[in-house]
Amino acid sequence: MLYDHKFFIDLKSRADLVRRSVLLAIFVIVFAIAGAGQVTPKAVLVDEFGEIPCGDLLGRTDSFFSELMKYPNDIGFVNISSSRKRPDATKLIIRANAYMRRFDASRLRIVINSASGNQSAQFWRVPKGADFPKFEELADKPRDVTRPFMFGQADDLGVCPSFIPYDYVDLIKANPGSYGKIIVRGNTWVGRNALADDFLPSLQSEQGLSKDRLRVYYVHRPRNYVIEIEFWFIPAEKK
């Protein structure tokens, strides 16, 4: 029997062509499915609220931090309306609570937007690769460092804290001749001393502020059952 070699070569070529076509189709389908599964991440609105008491703000902030802890690669974005009664105070309380909770401040971005018409504040979770919500940010107002002012305060119950140690130290270090005046008020020496000890080591050993840049005053207040502490900035004396 004679075999037509050309016929078998053509048959083999056709089989190879079909096999390559099938493989190409499989690759196209796989890449199409993979492409469909790669959805661009988007920012997630976690919470939104209007004017609320400080205790409620702290509770919502704690819940926001808990949400962010579930997603360690995401950034927390806080949008505060400039129409709120005290937008700067809202921003300060959130940042101070982050410090008190030992939450990584580098994972927070807090802005006060210029939009008017409502008094809302929003908590967003922004995954890696997602765009931040678009708002026109207002620049922080510069501090008047030529006069004394209360930088922040706290108490032994953790009610509405507004003190951030590293910001306080940075301000004093940036202004030669200035110092921090700390006033601790309460009805017992033990309570006043304990609250001061919660902050002084951080200011000195952790933040590197020398003792001569701090002055601490303990004030006995028999009716103050909540121990309070105030942190004042005192500018350099004018020559």
Side-chain angles (χ1 to χ4, degrees):
M1 181 180 295
L2 298 176
Y3 296 95
D4 188 341
H5 293 284
K6 184 178 180 181
F7 171 78
F8 282 105
I9 291 174
D10 289 343
L11 189 62
K12 185 175 182 298
S13 297
R14 290 177 183 177
D16 290 340
L17 180 61
V18 170
R19 189 162 48 249
R20 284 195 290 269
S21 299
V22 171
L23 290 174
L24 180 60
I26 292 174
F27 280 126
V28 170
I29 293 173
V30 170
F31 282 117
I33 294 174
Q38 294 178 353
V39 179
T40 303
K42 295 182 179 180
V44 178
L45 180 60
V46 177
D47 195 6
E48 183 174 11
F49 49 89
E51 297 286 357
I52 56 176
C54 182
D56 291 344
L57 175 58
L58 292 178
R60 288 176 180 267
T61 303
D62 285 343
S63 297
F64 183 47
F65 293 160
S66 296
E67 174 75 7
L68 291 174
M69 292 297 289
K70 299 176 186 177
Y71 302 89
N73 294 322
D74 292 6
I75 298 297
F77 179 81
V78 181
N79 169 46
I80 303 170
S81 171
S82 59
S83 296
R84 293 177 73 85
K85 292 180 180 178
R86 297 179 62 196
D88 292 330
T90 300
K91 179 178 180 179
L92 183 59
I93 291 170
I94 293 172
R95 295 187 66 241
N97 195 40
Y99 171 78
M100 297 292 289
R101 300 304 187 195
R102 305 300 182 189
F103 185 81
D104 184 2
S106 66
R107 294 186 59 201
L108 279 180
R109 180 182 172 191
I110 307 175
V111 302
I112 298 176
N113 73 73
S114 60
S116 60
N118 63 61
Q119 298 175 327
S120 69
Q122 298 175 336
F123 288 161
W124 293 81
R125 177 173 58 80
V126 184
K128 186 176 182 180
D131 292 329
F132 282 86
K134 304 297 183 183
F135 296 101
E136 185 176 349
E137 182 179 356
L138 290 180
D140 292 334
K141 297 178 181 178
R143 295 180 182 273
D144 182 1
V145 295
T146 63
R147 298 180 179 181
F149 62 88
M150 189 172 70
F151 182 89
Q153 60 186 352
D155 58 60
D156 60 342
L157 299 182
V159 179
C160 215
S162 61
F163 178 64
I164 306 166
Y166 45 82
D167 284 353
Y168 187 55
V169 171
D170 287 346
L171 179 65
I172 295 173
K173 287 182 176 180
N175 291 273
S178 67
Y179 64 91
K181 179 180 179 180
I182 300 175
I183 304 173
V184 191
R185 299 186 179 92
N187 60 351
T188 67
W189 165 254
V190 173
R192 296 192 298 269
N193 195 55
L195 185 58
D197 284 346
D198 286 342
F199 292 96
L200 291 180
S202 173
L203 295 175
Q204 295 174 356
S205 60
E206 296 178 21
Q207 306 299 328
L209 190 63
S210 59
K211 290 183 178 180
D212 63 335
R213 304 292 297 275
L214 285 175
R215 299 178 188 178
V216 186
Y217 300 86
Y218 298 90
V219 181
H220 179 56
R221 289 288 175 83
R223 296 183 181 181
N224 276 35
Y225 296 100
V226 176
I227 312 298
E228 302 169 330
I229 186 168
E230 295 178 354
F231 301 86
W232 286 76
F233 171 83
I234 310 298
E237 293 183 3
K238 296 182 179 179
K239 297 181 179 180

